[in-house]
Amino acid sequence: MADSSDRILNGGFQPQYAPFQRLFQPNNSRGPSRSNTNTPSPTHDHILPNAQSPGFGYGRQGHPMMNLGPKFTPGGNDNHHGFSSFGGGGYGGGNHVGQQHSTPTLQNAQPLTPFQQEQLEIASLSRKSSGIHHHAKVSVETARTGSRPSAAVTITDPNHPSQPIINGLHRKDGPTQEAQEMPSEDGSEKRQEWRALDLGGVGTRNLAQELFKYSFITQLYINHNKLTSLPPDIKQLKLLTQLDVSGNQLTSVPVELGMLTNLKELFLVDNQLTTLPAELGTLYQLKTIGIEGNPLNEQLKSLIYKDGTVGLIKYLRDSCPVPLPPPERQWYIGDKKSDASDDAEKRTPEHGIDSFNVFCYNILCDKYATSTMYGYTPSWALSWDYRKELILQEVMSYAAEIVCLQEVDIQNYEDYFAPQLAYAEYKGVFWPKGRAKTMREEERRTVDGCATFYKTTTFDLLDKKLIEFSQIAMSRDDFKKTDDFFDRVQNKDNIATVTLLENKKTGGRVIAVNAHIHWDPRFKDVKLVQVALMMDEIHRLATQYAKIPPRARPTNHEGEWDPPKYSNGTKIPLIICGDFNSIATSGVYEYLSKGIATADHSDFGESAYGALTSEGITHPFAMKSAYANHDMQFTNYTPGFAGVIDYIWYTTNALEVKGLLGGVDESYLERVVGFPNAHFPSDHIGIMAEFKFKKQAETKTLPPPDFGESSRRTSRQETRGGARR
């Protein structure tokens, strides 16, 4: 039979226990404060010494830390240099082990490595924290001395004082998960957020399922219990930075632990672990792992002693087996969803001459794909030789008539993508970012830019243009007068490219724009300015393109040849693809979809950009995102961000969407912390839409109004009079 703490932690707490008594609270939350804040609480005298006593010191950032004596050495005093307060960083200090001390060794024994000594220190501290709610008590005592407020509060059922309920885990009438009510000094209730949960030392054998609904907690202490396993649902606690499961009876840890990519400290001391799952290699932010006291295999143990936590994570990451590939992405036709691979065969014969596909993809430039940026990705999956093959395969498999790629560097455009795609009857248009102009040839070849490829069997290229946002802004007199232009816009060398294509079979034209907007979320104003400048330039070019007369019938053309005529630039079908680094609630999205952003738009902030911020911005095109009516989970997927920032925009007066490429299978994403990985070579995913040209409304010349015989007689007289003149 489970003990009382088991029943509580497994949801056994009953509604009649609703009133709670708070223990171990800071002085400033109990009411009138004592005159002497250094006087220890009678309740806690046996827990920790006073902050002013010889047993207390001050640690990092001035937080009080319990001084447990000299560092642990074999045969010596097994104490540590300090203990951080609850919520302050756990036992260790990452791979930095601080000041080196001489370590007594047995005769003929090898001296301890710094990382081995660190493991022994962590284990020593862990064994001293086996008491009930040890971390919470330390935290409260620390907060009581005035250092900082407590991050967690122990709550006890007054009817069963020996059965603690921590942080309102089972409160039915309590506050929301994000905040906890705390009494203020005047006795009124106030809400205090908490992020740490201490279930340590209560002897539980199982964890309540409700625990994993507390997805906001950042620290979880379930040490010194009787747990034999951790539920896979622990992956729901994605914000955890510190997890202590020391002193249990674990024989394994779930692979789902690797989904907790925010973890910085993981303590597994004194369990029955013989190995660690390779999936822990995705814990790229982990600074400290404690594994002492486990019958761990010698390979892993030696690796930790030699290279520390960082070395262990790197080894696990690169030795992790490749997961099963995801199912094919779905293809949407209207409201109908079908398999993309099956539907590709169906689309080919039905893909009429008035339809075409557009594929957009930020491929992640090689120089940006570093282990620092993507520490969760195996090094072999991050290598360019591996990724470029997957990228090319993906582009070729979708066989879109127009392909817009971002972050393609000069070298790989010239030496790889252009030659390889030429075999599939593509030609390309490419420009690098502006910085390439000032670099030597060797450095220049690593600069990325935008590459647009088009099927030569479908389109002819009529014109191509480069849009350099900073250069266009420089040409505007009102921009030159603002400090914000020089400080925020001019030093960003993002670009867009414009291609004017003509359908070989119909003579219909389409303007295809490929853009890459500045990435930094702190520069929302710059993003909006760049897109506004782009739309102004597109309008200017479209007006010129509308004046280009239709070409004569090609000599080898079969069938009718009646190319459309465009009365103005807004009548030409327009596609704008790219990585806009802007979500659907941004000013960029609002401006493109509505055609206007007012001068007081919040994304402009306090910045001044001449007429753009004094009068607002507009554009004349009827634009819509191809995915506006579809719930796309993301186009960029990393542990720190998952959202839609890539778009295919089109003019609704000239084009209609016939189909869309769907997102990534959700069941696959449950096992993946982020991209790139073995199956997705970029942190972005490609998006694709099928478009159909709309027929232009015919403009008919209406006859003059007929008001009877008198009207016709007058008309004839005017005609004769005009002839005489």
Side-chain angles (χ1 to χ4, degrees), residues 334 351 354-358 573-575 622 624-626 649-660 689-695:
H351 198 47
D354 59 347
S355 299
F356 61 96
N357 292 334
V358 178
L574 171 64
I575 296 287
K624 185 177 181 180
S625 167
W649 297 90
Y650 70 101
T651 45
T652 57
N653 62 304
L655 296 167
E656 61 178 312
V657 177
K658 302 298 291 182
L660 292 170
E690 181 181 8
F691 294 99
K692 182 178 180 180
F693 290 105
K694 285 185 176 180
K695 292 184 178 180

Side-chain angles (χ1 to χ4, degrees), residues 10-297:
N10 282 290
F13 184 74
Q14 301 299 320
Q16 63 263 32
Y17 300 151
F20 297 106
Q21 175 183 359
R22 293 173 176 80
L23 301 179
F24 312 127
Q25 296 180 12
N27 285 340
N28 59 9
S29 65
R30 292 185 177 183
S33 60
R34 296 184 179 90
S35 58
N36 181 6
T37 58
N38 293 328
T39 303
S41 166
T43 309
H44 303 144
D45 285 349
H46 65 286
I47 300 174
L48 289 175
N50 187 281
Q52 299 299 319
S53 69
F56 243 85
Y58 283 86
R60 290 172 294 179
Q61 299 177 343
H63 301 320
M65 302 172 69
M66 187 175 180
N67 188 346
L68 299 178
K71 299 185 76 171
F72 172 87
T73 55
N77 190 334
D78 59 343
N79 287 324
H80 190 266
H81 59 282
F83 188 93
S84 65
S85 63
F86 184 49
Y91 306 129
N95 285 312
H96 175 69
V97 294
Q99 182 179 357
Q100 298 298 312
H101 294 258
S102 59
T103 304
T105 60
L106 299 176
Q107 189 174 3
N108 299 326
Q110 293 294 325
L112 299 179
T113 68
F115 297 121
Q116 187 174 6
Q117 182 168 310
E118 180 187 44
Q119 290 296 320
L120 294 173
E121 293 169 353
I122 292 172
S124 175
L125 277 176
S126 173
R127 291 157 189 162
K128 293 178 181 295
S129 64
S130 60
I132 296 177
H133 312 315
H134 171 86
H135 295 284
K137 293 174 182 178
V138 171
S139 174
V140 171
E141 185 67 17
T142 300
R144 191 177 63 82
T145 64
S147 172
R148 60 176 177 173
S150 174
V153 177
T154 302
I155 301 175
T156 302
D157 172 17
N159 297 316
H160 297 79
S162 63
Q163 300 178 1
I165 309 296
I166 311 301
N167 283 335
L169 182 61
H170 294 284
R171 292 190 67 173
K172 306 296 182 182
D173 60 344
T176 63
Q177 293 179 344
E178 290 75 16
Q180 181 176 359
E181 294 178 357
M182 295 285 291
S184 60
E185 293 187 2
D186 60 3
S188 62
E189 292 289 315
K190 67 177 182 180
R191 303 174 73 86
Q192 176 172 317
E193 293 187 355
W194 55 276
R195 294 289 182 269
L197 193 58
D198 186 355
L199 304 175
V202 297
T204 184
R205 292 182 172 86
N206 297 287
L207 296 175
Q209 194 65 27
E210 286 79 5
L211 169 65
F212 306 113
K213 297 179 181 179
Y214 285 65
S215 57
F216 57 88
I217 62 174
T218 60
Q219 294 156 288
L220 177 61
Y221 301 91
I222 48 179
N223 54 298
H224 296 94
N225 285 300
K226 300 176 182 178
L227 300 173
T228 58
S229 64
L230 289 178
D233 283 344
I234 197 168
K235 68 180 181 180
Q236 298 177 27
L237 306 180
K238 293 184 181 296
L239 298 183
L240 280 184
T241 60
Q242 187 174 2
L243 175 62
D244 188 356
V245 291
S246 299
N248 281 283
Q249 301 167 17
L250 303 180
T251 57
S252 65
V253 293
V255 298
E256 288 81 4
L257 206 61
M259 300 296 290
L260 305 182
T261 54
N262 285 303
L263 271 181
K264 294 180 174 60
E265 294 178 321
L266 173 61
F267 302 115
L268 304 168
V269 175
D270 292 339
N271 280 282
Q272 300 298 318
L273 302 174
T274 58
T275 189
L276 296 173
E279 286 78 2
L280 296 191
T282 55
L283 301 181
Y284 67 104
Q285 297 193 69
L286 196 68
K287 302 301 181 186
T288 305
I289 189 170
I291 51 85
E292 198 66 24
N294 287 280
L296 206 61
N297 70 64

Side-chain angles (χ1 to χ4, degrees), residues 356-358 401-404 427-429 452-456 458-464 498-504 506-513 545 551 566 572-573 575 693:
F356 61 96
N357 292 334
V358 178
E401 282 78 10
I402 299 174
V403 176
C404 294
K427 283 188 177 180
V429 173
T452 301
F453 294 92
Y454 60 93
K455 277 276 190 180
T456 56
T458 304
F459 290 110
D460 284 324
L461 177 67
L462 300 186
D463 192 34
K464 59 182 180 180
V498 180
T499 53
L500 176 62
L501 303 173
E502 183 178 79
N503 189 295
K504 287 188 171 184
T506 67
R509 293 170 181 171
V510 59
I511 301 172
V513 181
Y545 294 156
R551 290 198 298 173
Y566 305 104
I572 305 176
I575 296 287
F693 290 105

